[in-house]
Amino acid sequence: MPKKWKDFEYKPAFFAISSFTVGIASYVLGYKTAGNWILGLSASMQVLPMAYEMIKNVFEGELGIDLLAVTAIATALLLGEYVTAALIVVMLTSGEALENYAETRAKRELNSLLERAPKTATVERGSKTLTIKVSEVIVGDILIIKPGDVVAVDAQIVEGSSSFDESALTGEPMPVEHKKGDDLLSGSVNGTKLIKAKALKTSKNSQYEQIIQLVKEATSSKARFIRMADRYSVVFTAISFAIAFAALYISGGQWLRFLQVLVVATPCPLLLGAPIALVSGMSRAAKHGIIVKNGSSLERLARVKTFAFDKTGTLTHGVPELAAIKVLKGYEQNQVVALAAALEEGSNHILAKTIVDKARELKLTFPKVSAVHEESGFGILANQGSKKVMIGKHGLMIKHKVTVPKSHEASSTAAFLAIDGKLAAIFEFADQLRAETKSTLLTLKKLGMRDSLMLTGDNHNAAKQIAEKVGISVVHADALPSDKLHTLKSLDESKRLVAMVGDGVNDAPTLAAADVGIALGARGSTAASESADVVVMLDSLAKVAESYKIAKDTFKIAKQAILLGICISVGLMLVYSTGKFSPVSGAAVQELVDVVVMIYALRAHGPWKRHENVLEKILT
């Protein structure tokens, strides 16, 4: 129990069970009048807020499942059936407590975004260098951005060049080289060189702050989801009142007969069936490394028809790999790999590390190089004995008049090695597709996915190649977080409900705005995990399909549990409409119905090993 009583969210159930226990104890000890007072007062105190909520919902155009319960409790109190009234309250508050338990989670979506946001900036104002709050940066300020610093506001480089990690904004892992005149996005991280940049925007109007605002807006604008039980409540309520009033009429106006019907019509199967199935499904998911944050998320996931995927780190591994080494005539592969590794060994660039790792994997001996010089943003030059060697981007080759095949001129994911002014090798890099991506997409289609699309910050050609391999027909590339969010919101109604699958900070707005956000949490950002409704703890896209299957299984069992409860309740209403059984016995029998519904709903915890039974086939 929490330290403060006001923070205890199960007060109604605690009060109902406690007062019922004391009331029954009073009966047993011979204090019937005291027991009546205790049970009557507790039931009255509980029914008043229920009645208020019921009336408010009716005025708002919503007929929930509370009408039957309030009517049954009020009728029992008026007829002096205090045990019956209190027992109904216990059933209702217990079901509500269970549902609250299934729905409870802390709302911490913005914590990691706020923690990562830059707090201070170093600026030049006149002859002074000042460290100020980010909020105090004004347009035109000259920012001094050191290696490892987060860019405080959107800015333009006025001095120097460096590589920048923009993965928090675009989701792409490869550092981007920026030189004088290039624009920088706030939230990107300076890699290797100190640079100076002119502030183009204030903190409030910069890219990173906009991401935070997008998450806030998306979280607050998510539409209310109608609970499964509410969708059955109108029909069940109408049937229950029809039988109850028919019994009242046939009995010649005996209100006890009316109560006898409503007692077994209390909507506990509707209140208990779905929550227990959903909690069981959430538990089943957790056993498979999938955290579903609330029951309504699981229910929405079961109804999803469209899946949107981020590319890098979701459909792919998110780490560039050496895809191919093209060795030109006159050179050998081991020779060029060893030389390239010798040049790149001292570099912090992610592509350099990949080449060095490849050379070490082949157990090659690195040749000695001297006079190593790095041209920031282009590549590395050095001497190997009497030879002039270099490795870098196409721009470095142009600068030193090295001929490059036209097919590779536009490549942003290739490194070129030249020896004495002649091209020796081309190292091609690619973000490799996950082994399970294609099979996951096929499984999702079998389970009920109708449409799929890709939302990525990568270039269109790279995105299209991946999409064609896995069978995604709609691609939105070169997309910033705001572009992804706009695309998601602009989908027509026929493609709703939508699940967004992503793993980076840049995915946080779309994960929060989607009907269901699914984050690959093993290697993804905390912001993505906290903005999502479903978090895959293992680094496996296959778990997305598994979560979809668990959601569908759970939803099916929850619906079956509700229908089972309704069928039994309708049968009992017809039996109790004869007037041969007391209201208290009806409340007790209803408890047995609840137990049956609960046991059936618990099947969502895992598939039965036996063959599907006849009852399930009937309910399906």
Side-chain angles (χ1 to χ4, degrees), residues 404-421:
V404 172
K406 287 187 177 181
S407 60
H408 286 81
E409 287 180 354
S411 176
S412 61
T413 53
F416 302 89
L417 176 69
I419 301 174
D420 284 338

Side-chain angles (χ1 to χ4, degrees), residues 528-582:
S529 299
E530 292 185 349
S531 298
D533 301 293
V534 179
V535 179
V536 176
M537 302 304 293
L538 305 177
D539 193 15
S540 171
L541 188 65
K543 293 293 180 180
V544 173
E546 191 165 6
S547 69
Y548 193 38
K549 183 180 188 310
I550 289 172
K552 283 189 165 295
D553 288 348
T554 301
F555 183 78
K556 181 178 74 173
I557 291 169
K559 185 166 70 172
Q560 290 171 355
I562 288 174
L563 291 174
L564 175 62
I566 288 175
C567 290
I568 296 175
S569 293
V570 170
L572 287 172
M573 280 186 265
L574 295 173
V575 171
Y576 272 74
S577 66
T578 62
K580 295 181 179 180
F581 305 94
S582 68

Side-chain angles (χ1 to χ4, degrees), residues 82-100:
Y82 301 115
V83 175
T84 302
L87 190 54
I88 295 171
V89 168
V90 168
M91 290 189 295
L92 290 171
T93 54
S94 298
E96 186 180 279
L98 182 62
E99 188 168 25
N100 287 339

Side-chain angles (χ1 to χ4, degrees), residues 135-150:
S135 59
E136 295 174 355
V137 174
I138 59 176
V139 176
D141 271 340
I142 300 300
L143 307 174
I144 299 174
I145 307 173
K146 300 174 185 177
D149 283 355
V150 179

Side-chain angles (χ1 to χ4, degrees), residues 66-89:
D66 297 329
L67 180 59
L68 279 174
V70 170
T71 305
I73 295 168
T75 304
L77 288 171
L78 290 172
L79 296 177
E81 296 285 343
Y82 301 115
V83 175
T84 302
L87 190 54
I88 295 171
V89 168

Side-chain angles (χ1 to χ4, degrees), residues 422-494:
K422 292 184 178 180
L423 190 65
I426 302 171
F427 295 85
E428 295 181 347
F429 298 88
D431 185 7
Q432 296 296 323
L433 190 69
R434 288 174 180 266
E436 73 273 16
T437 297
K438 192 170 183 179
S439 60
T440 297
L441 269 291
L442 289 172
T443 302
L444 287 171
K445 287 179 182 178
K446 290 178 181 178
L447 289 171
M449 178 183 74
R450 292 179 186 169
D451 300 285
S452 60
L453 59 148
M454 182 192 294
L455 306 176
T456 178
D458 203 355
N459 67 76
H460 184 75
N461 288 336
K464 188 177 179 181
Q465 288 178 9
I466 295 294
E468 288 176 349
K469 287 180 181 179
V470 300
I472 295 177
S473 56
V474 181
V475 177
H476 297 272
D478 299 307
L480 288 172
S482 55
D483 301 322
K484 293 183 180 183
L485 185 60
H486 175 73
T487 300
L488 202 61
K489 287 186 172 181
S490 63
L491 291 174
D492 61 66
E493 287 299 317
S494 65

